[in-house]
Amino acid sequence: MKVCKFGGSSVADAAQIRKVIEIIRADDDRRIVVVSAPGKRFKGDDKVTDLLIDCAVRALEGGDISPAVNRVVQRYEEIRDELRLDVSLAEMLKTELRRRLARSRDEGLNREQFIDSIKAIGEEFSARFCAAAFRVAGCDAVYVDPCEAGMLLSEQYGAAQLLPESYELLEKNIAPRKELVIFPGFFGYTKSGEIATFSRGGSDITGAILAAALHAESYENFTDVDAVYPVDPRLCPEVVGAGIGIREMTYAEMRELAYAGFAVFHDEAVLPAIHAKIPINIRNTNHPEQPGTFVVPVRKTIPGRVNGIASSMGFSTLYVEKWLMNREVGFVAQLLQILAEAGVPIEMMPAGVDSVTVVFRNDALPENRRAAVLETINERLHPNTAVFSSGLAFVVVVGEGMRTAVGTCARVVTTLSKAGVNLQMINQGSSEISIMFGVSESDIKPAVQALYQEFFVHE
């Protein structure tokens, strides 16, 4: 049995949903279908999730929600009409959306909890519409609600985590079904019965969880690329025409690359597959005949061979300096406690004898909250210097073959130096399969392009 997840571009309109139906029909082992909310149909289009967030924000601010609601309903109505589905589906969507939007006034939910309840409508009705489309096409398909199935999540709204008992519940409630199961991605329910979502892109996580719970032979993740590219095609568009795709990668490589900026797969979605040892196959809905990229526990490697180069912007640093810091027991622990009190997760923390730099994502601590944090640091720790800086980006070079080779770091540094890229930070993971380089955001493109030429064109 295979679990198949289809991303937003795969269910963006009726034509794409028809492709999904044909893909499932082509293989009798494909029994579980996980879908995202409808994505962009063309450049400049809106994703349904973004439209729903707009609805939620308008409701919270007391604005007129009708135009935003109508835009959401119209997207689904077009799908319903082209697929010749029952008109009651669109009415059900409109009624449910307005009911949930009214909760902002009637029940006083906190902001994150309320927005989660609205965002989840995208996946829920994508799945309901797809289930109906499968039935119209003659398939015995059923929509399965995450609450009834046992998809229990923590109360970390917007970034929820699966509760361990969910695996047993999901297997118990889904495995006996004979029908084709259509399951919404991205959300589940807390024990108190409230909707909670994974972080953005979390439908990948849903698919991986179901694959693990149901002991699937594989997890097929359908998107809009023939394979995972070794670099971001937005920075190196020539990689698409060159047909250079990663055919095989390990779980560890995928997690490193996804975390560092590969948007094709959510980094947290690798974990359920790792625990269950289920291979992941990333494929293209528009070209299902292509084998795609396989993500597996282990693979054959060539010493020194790099498998991918990821990049990510939107980081800031907090630099703290104090003489004899190394002799002051608990200094760093107190610094981290201050950041924890401010709700700031730490990405990395390179340190020297008398200084430490804390790296975090910009949105974890917006500019308007930083002065208060600095004030607390100065009051409690009395540093010589404490200063925030923005505009940091990271380039990450990943490859299992780097474990057994000498000189990869030197090769990267030389390449970036020739490209005129200044390195602000270097960090090598303890696994030795990745090296991270901090650069200015303005240097991301020349850095990635230079490394792509060095490791994939001239290799």
Side-chain angles (χ1 to χ4, degrees):
M1 184 268 289
K2 298 176 181 178
V3 172
C4 302
K5 177 262 175 179
F6 292 87
S9 63
S10 301
V11 292
D13 57 28
Q16 290 299 95
I17 292 173
R18 290 191 183 99
K19 293 178 184 178
V20 170
I21 293 172
E22 291 308 309
I23 287 170
I24 298 302
R25 278 176 155 177
D27 188 340
D28 291 338
D29 289 334
R30 292 169 175 153
R31 302 302 305 157
I32 311 294
V33 179
V34 177
V35 296
S36 298
K40 293 184 179 183
R41 296 160 294 183
F42 46 82
K43 187 176 181 180
D45 194 19
D46 292 307
K47 296 179 179 180
V48 164
T49 299
D50 291 328
L51 296 177
L52 287 165
I53 291 173
D54 182 46
C55 286
V57 171
R58 287 172 182 266
L60 288 168
E61 294 176 350
D64 182 7
I65 63 172
S66 293
V69 169
N70 291 338
R71 291 177 70 192
V72 173
V73 174
Q74 181 62 32
R75 280 293 299 270
Y76 284 96
E77 176 58 29
E78 290 175 6
I79 292 173
R80 184 210 64 77
D81 182 55
E82 290 187 43
L83 293 175
R84 301 180 183 277
L85 307 181
D86 195 289
V87 69
S88 64
L89 277 170
E91 288 302 317
M92 180 182 177
L93 163 66
K94 189 172 184 177
T95 299
E96 181 62 14
L97 178 54
R98 286 192 172 276
R99 183 190 73 81
R100 293 190 196 180
L101 286 168
R103 296 185 73 197
S104 67
R105 298 183 295 273
D106 300 340
E107 299 183 29
L109 302 181
N110 69 55
R111 181 182 178 87
E112 292 75 16
Q113 191 176 4
F114 174 71
I115 291 177
D116 268 14
S117 72
I118 305 303
K119 286 190 297 186
I121 284 178
E123 274 72 15
E124 176 182 339
F125 280 87
S126 180
R128 290 187 183 277
F129 276 53
C130 284
F134 271 102
R135 290 193 293 271
V136 167
C139 300
D140 185 15
V142 61
Y143 168 80
V144 174
D145 183 79
C147 184
E148 296 173 3
M151 183 72 78
L152 296 178
L153 305 185
S154 66
E155 295 185 356
Q156 297 163 278
Y157 298 101
Q161 298 291 312
L162 185 77
L163 299 184
E165 58 265 39
S166 296
Y167 285 108
E168 184 176 346
L169 291 170
L170 291 166
E171 181 179 18
K172 175 185 176 182
N173 294 324
I174 297 178
R177 289 186 175 274
K178 302 301 180 185
E179 316 100 320
L180 179 66
V181 169
I182 314 299
F183 200 96
F186 190 41
F187 76 95
Y189 287 79
T190 67
K191 286 187 175 181
S192 63
E194 291 293 336
I195 291 172
T197 71
F198 298 113
S199 55
R200 194 75 185 258
S203 292
D204 289 346
I205 303 174
T206 302
I209 289 168
L210 291 179
L214 299 171
H215 312 288
E217 66 179 84
S218 70
Y219 170 32
E220 295 183 320
N221 191 290
F222 285 87
T223 180
D224 56 2
V225 293
D226 288 344
V228 177
Y229 295 117
V231 295
D232 189 337
R234 292 170 297 183
L235 299 178
C236 298
E238 62 270 28
V239 71
V240 179
I244 300 175
I246 302 173
R247 294 306 169 195
E248 192 174 63
M249 61 201 310
T250 64
Y251 293 140
E253 288 174 322
M254 183 74 252
R255 184 155 162 72
E256 292 275 1
L257 289 166
Y259 171 78
F262 268 34
V264 73
F265 196 72
H266 199 297
D267 64 296
E268 292 181 32
V270 182
L271 299 179
I274 291 175
H275 295 313
K277 298 182 179 178
I278 295 171
I280 302 166
N281 187 193
I282 299 170
R283 307 182 66 169
N284 192 341
T285 301
N286 302 311
H287 302 130
E289 71 283 356
Q290 295 294 327
T293 297
F294 286 89
V295 187
V296 295
V298 295
R299 67 178 181 86
K300 292 183 178 179
T301 61
I302 298 173
R305 179 65 60 85
V306 168
N307 212 21
I309 301 165
S311 57
S312 184
M313 296 193 293
F315 293 90
S316 291
T317 61
L318 167 61
Y319 175 77
V320 179
E321 180 183 86
K322 187 176 184 180
W323 300 122
L324 299 177
M325 179 189 294
N326 63 314
R327 300 290 298 275
E328 190 170 333
V329 177
F331 184 93
V332 173
Q334 291 182 69
L335 175 62
L336 294 180
Q337 179 60 35
I338 293 169
L339 292 171
E341 291 169 3
V344 182
I346 305 305
E347 301 297 323
M348 68 179 67
M349 194 173 61
V353 176
D354 297 311
S355 64
V356 61
T357 299
V358 179
V359 180
F360 59 93
R361 294 184 184 273
N362 292 342
D363 55 7
L365 187 63
E367 296 278 355
N368 60 1
R369 292 175 51 209
R370 295 182 185 183
V373 173
L374 277 183
E375 184 177 349
T376 303
I377 291 171
N378 288 322
E379 286 177 356
R380 295 190 197 175
L381 302 179
H382 309 291
N384 300 108
T385 302
V387 60
F388 284 105
S389 298
S390 301
L392 181 67
F394 285 102
V395 177
V396 185
V397 178
V398 176
E400 292 277 359
M402 291 162 53
R403 294 181 195 265
T404 55
V406 175
T408 304
C409 184
R411 188 175 171 190
V412 172
V413 171
T414 299
T415 299
L416 294 179
S417 176
K418 289 180 179 178
V421 175
N422 180 51
L423 297 181
Q424 300 182 25
M425 194 179 301
I426 300 177
N427 181 58
Q428 180 165 16
S430 57
S431 66
E432 298 186 60
I433 71 165
S434 69
I435 310 175
M436 183 176 288
F437 301 87
V439 302
S440 169
E441 288 186 344
S442 61
D443 281 335
I444 273 285
K445 187 170 184 177
V448 172
Q449 289 179 337
L451 292 173
Y452 168 67
Q453 291 291 321
E454 174 66 21
F455 287 99
F456 294 97
V457 175
H458 301 146
E459 184 72 25

